[in-house]
Amino acid sequence: MGKKYKIKHNKNDELEETIDESTLSKKELYDLNKERKMKEKEKSVKKVKNKKKKKNSTYKTNLAGRIFAIVMLILMIGSVIATISYSFNR
């Protein structure tokens, strides 16, 4: 049996309209160039954001939390040892 593969279509594959720039006024040319620059800037910002994303650990704790956990573990172990030694002395 063969696998069926889906073809992914990119949003960027849209056809751009060709505009005759010689017939446009200066303001229209300015607006058109500004719009193109904004699109390019958005694309570059998206690329930078994707590169900066970093997966953080779910169980990340600060130093105080670690110290507290270690102290409580030592106290629990000491409590168990004290209980056992008390039962042998009786």
Side-chain angles (χ1 to χ4, degrees), residues 77-90:
I77 292 172
S79 171
V80 170
I81 291 173
T83 305
I84 293 171
S85 66
Y86 178 72
S87 65
F88 282 130
N89 288 340
R90 280 180 116 190

Side-chain angles (χ1 to χ4, degrees), residues 4-16:
K4 294 183 181 179
Y5 294 99
K6 293 183 180 179
I7 299 172
K8 294 184 180 180
H9 298 286
N10 292 333
K11 294 178 183 177
N12 299 333
D13 291 342
E14 298 174 3
L15 298 175
E16 295 184 14

Side-chain angles (χ1 to χ4, degrees), residues 12-56:
N12 299 333
D13 291 342
E14 298 174 3
L15 298 175
E16 295 184 14
E17 298 177 11
T18 56
I19 300 172
D20 187 17
E21 294 181 359
S22 62
T23 60
L24 297 176
S25 68
K26 288 184 180 180
K27 185 179 185 321
E28 291 172 336
L29 283 173
Y30 175 77
D31 291 337
L32 184 63
N33 288 333
K34 187 175 180 181
E35 187 177 323
R36 286 180 188 165
K37 287 180 183 178
M38 289 297 290
K39 286 181 183 179
E40 290 176 8
K41 186 176 180 182
E42 287 176 4
K43 288 179 185 178
S44 65
V45 168
K46 286 180 184 178
K47 288 180 184 178
V48 170
K49 284 184 181 179
N50 288 340
K51 288 180 182 178
K52 286 185 179 179
K53 286 185 180 179
K54 183 179 176 184
K55 293 185 178 181
N56 292 333

